[in-house]
Amino acid sequence: MIRLLWRGYHNPAYLHRWSERFGFTPFLAEKAIIWVHAVSVGEVQASLPLIKELSAYYPDHTILLTTMTPTGSTQAQKNLGNQVIHCYLPYDLPHAIYHFLQQTQPQLGIILETELWPNLLYQCQYRGIPVILANARLSARSARGYSYLGTLSRNMISSFTLIAAQGAADAERFIALGALPERVHITGNLKFEIKLPADLKTQGATLRDQWGKQRPTWIAASTHEGEEKYILFSFKQLQQSYPNALLVLVPRHPERFNSVYHLCQQRGFIIHRRSELKAFNSAAEVFIGDSMGELPLFFAASDVAFIGGSLIPVGGHNPLEPAALGRAIILGPHMFNFTEIIKQLLQAGAAIQIQTHRDLTQAILHYLNNPSLLTKSGEAGQQVIAQNQGASKKLMQLITPLLV
């Protein structure tokens, strides 16, 4: 509760709907429930094609989508509306999990990526609720961490009815930690099933016209504390070659919007905030994307995309949206959350990975100085996505026997 209060101090959305955090869901569904858990924004986005498949195949069921973060909740409501019922997944306390499962009584649980909670999995197993770990990924670093938990990790991982792994390396790590080999399948990555709005490129072109069509524009997306100082330093260097360049800076967490704004002020940049309800200031050097749900639009309006969470050891964020939009991509050294995706993008020539923050300026110049490379890199990214689609169909083949 202290942590909720602390988070609520920075993001008021955490101060609401506390009963859900402790297992008291606000509904009783009349139909059988298929429960999907997607912890935050990225996982919700990845779950969309699966949820649409489930809704089409099982119209007599209610889809319950749980998240842990308010931003995940907002993303679910924006993209799915009344197609699903949404609530927060409770904290992994025995009584909270008991109330949640007693209230919802799901026929099947589908947990995305690597959400391993011992009380939740134990009580699902005790009640005979099959649970699938879908789009499952496990980095070498995370596998080492779970290995230190010994029997607890083995019990959790072996309790899954099925594990649908993103790739062979993920599957091998789950088996090494205790998953039964016959329950582990490689289905690919749901995040390749990306569906962008048909008019997104048109909207992006309109926004770019406001920024200045001829201005070289790069976006630093989903940045974390400790990264912006390097990004602003690189931007200052870039301005020596491109004085009219525009930096689009989008912090990962809403509670950091103001602190990033003040950092830009301290560095002497002219700033325009997306939240400002006025026309774009053409003299602005830094555009701060302090809004929710508009990151794809900002990608669409930019030339080059840097993926945040990768200059510091956070593990990076999903680079597939800019790839789908045909944008050249720059990655920091710490992209261990997306190892297989990064491998494919780099091999295809769709991205550049730098070794330190000092290399960022040169990577941006490498693209901006070579317009043909910008186009070639963007096309390569779109091809990688096209070649990897189909994970939701494979996953549905595993789910179907469990809902007969």
Side-chain angles (χ1 to χ4, degrees):
M1 293 178 75
I2 291 173
R3 186 170 186 273
L4 276 174
L5 287 169
W6 174 250
R7 295 297 297 271
Y9 175 76
H10 297 283
N11 182 352
Y14 277 98
L15 298 176
H16 305 293
R17 298 164 61 188
W18 276 26
S19 61
E20 296 173 30
R21 304 285 190 181
F22 296 94
F24 296 96
T25 58
F27 63 88
L28 279 172
E30 297 179 358
K31 299 187 289 188
I33 285 178
I34 300 172
W35 159 51
V36 178
H37 177 60
V39 62
S40 193
V41 174
E43 292 77 15
V44 170
Q45 197 65 33
S47 75
L48 297 180
L50 173 62
I51 289 173
K52 289 173 183 176
E53 293 271 0
L54 289 168
S55 298
Y57 274 81
Y58 302 102
D60 294 331
H61 287 67
T62 294
I63 309 296
L64 167 64
L65 178 62
T66 58
T67 65
M68 289 297 291
T69 67
T71 51
S73 174
T74 301
Q75 188 80 350
Q77 292 164 5
K78 175 185 174 184
N79 287 278
L80 294 165
N82 295 328
Q83 292 181 52
V84 301
I85 296 173
H86 171 269
C87 71
Y88 290 126
L89 184 70
Y91 291 127
D92 199 54
L93 304 170
H95 68 279
I97 297 299
Y98 171 84
H99 284 296
F100 170 74
L101 294 176
Q102 188 71 15
Q103 187 86 343
T104 58
Q105 299 187 24
Q107 186 178 349
L108 172 69
I110 303 170
I111 298 175
L112 266 74
E113 301 209 358
T114 323
E115 287 289 290
L116 307 181
W117 297 106
N119 285 304
L120 177 65
L121 292 171
Y122 171 78
Q123 291 200 35
C124 284
Q125 190 174 41
Y126 179 79
R127 291 168 177 262
I129 301 168
V131 180
I132 297 174
L133 187 62
N135 213 43
R137 64 179 174 88
L138 190 64
S139 68
R141 179 182 180 182
S142 294
R144 283 194 300 272
Y146 281 115
S147 69
Y148 298 145
L149 299 178
T151 301
L152 180 60
S153 282
R154 286 193 296 275
N155 288 345
M156 284 193 296
I157 291 170
S158 65
S159 69
F160 283 105
T161 308
L162 292 171
I163 295 178
Q166 292 184 12
D170 300 295
E172 290 168 5
R173 291 180 189 123
F174 279 111
I175 291 170
L177 285 176
L180 300 176
E182 62 271 21
R183 296 184 181 181
V184 180
H185 303 262
I186 300 170
T187 55
N189 194 334
L190 284 171
K191 290 184 176 178
F192 283 107
E193 311 277 290
I194 189 165
K195 301 290 184 187
L196 297 171
D199 62 345
L200 183 58
K201 287 191 175 181
T202 302
Q203 292 181 40
T206 301
L207 181 59
R208 181 59 179 266
D209 286 341
Q210 295 173 20
W211 290 346
K213 196 170 184 179
Q214 303 305 317
R215 298 184 71 176
T217 302
W218 68 287
I219 179 172
S222 299
T223 58
H224 288 249
E225 186 173 3
E227 288 188 303
E228 288 90 4
K229 61 183 179 182
Y230 300 131
I231 290 163
L232 293 175
F233 177 77
S234 291
F235 182 57
K236 184 67 75 174
Q237 290 185 316
L238 181 69
Q239 286 179 310
Q240 295 175 16
S241 300
Y242 292 96
N244 66 332
L246 177 69
L247 168 62
V248 181
L249 185 54
V250 187
R252 175 70 174 180
H253 299 111
E255 58 266 30
R256 297 191 58 247
F257 288 159
N258 286 334
S259 62
V260 171
Y261 169 72
H262 292 309
L263 178 63
C264 294
Q265 273 190 322
Q266 291 168 12
R267 299 299 167 90
F269 291 106
I270 302 170
I271 309 157
H272 183 95
R273 299 180 68 159
R274 178 63 167 178
S275 59
E276 295 175 353
L277 300 177
K278 58 184 180 182
F280 178 72
N281 177 6
S282 60
E285 300 165 291
V286 178
F287 176 95
I288 297 180
D290 56 348
S291 59
M292 297 302 300
E294 290 196 303
L295 186 56
L297 173 63
F298 301 150
F299 281 134
S302 302
D303 297 312
V304 181
F306 168 75
I307 305 302
S310 64
L311 286 179
I312 56 176
V314 170
H317 294 290
N318 184 4
L320 292 180
E321 275 187 345
L325 287 161
R327 297 296 172 257
I329 298 168
I330 300 172
L331 311 164
H334 304 287
M335 286 294 299
F336 49 80
N337 286 338
F338 298 89
T339 305
E340 187 58 35
I341 290 175
I342 298 314
K343 180 180 176 182
Q344 293 192 53
L345 290 175
L346 292 174
Q347 287 178 344
I352 294 173
Q353 187 166 29
I354 60 177
Q355 298 306 307
T356 74
H357 65 87
R358 297 179 184 87
D359 302 323
L360 181 55
T361 308
Q362 287 305 313
I364 299 165
L365 287 170
H366 180 65
Y367 279 127
L368 294 182
N369 290 340
N370 297 278
S372 62
L373 182 61
L374 275 175
T375 302
K376 185 177 178 181
S377 178
E379 291 173 347
Q382 291 175 322
Q383 189 173 5
V384 167
I385 289 176
Q387 291 170 345
N388 283 275
Q389 292 187 334
S392 60
K393 299 289 185 185
K394 295 176 183 177
L395 187 53
M396 285 300 298
Q397 292 174 358
L398 297 175
I399 290 171
T400 299
L402 299 175
L403 288 172
V404 174

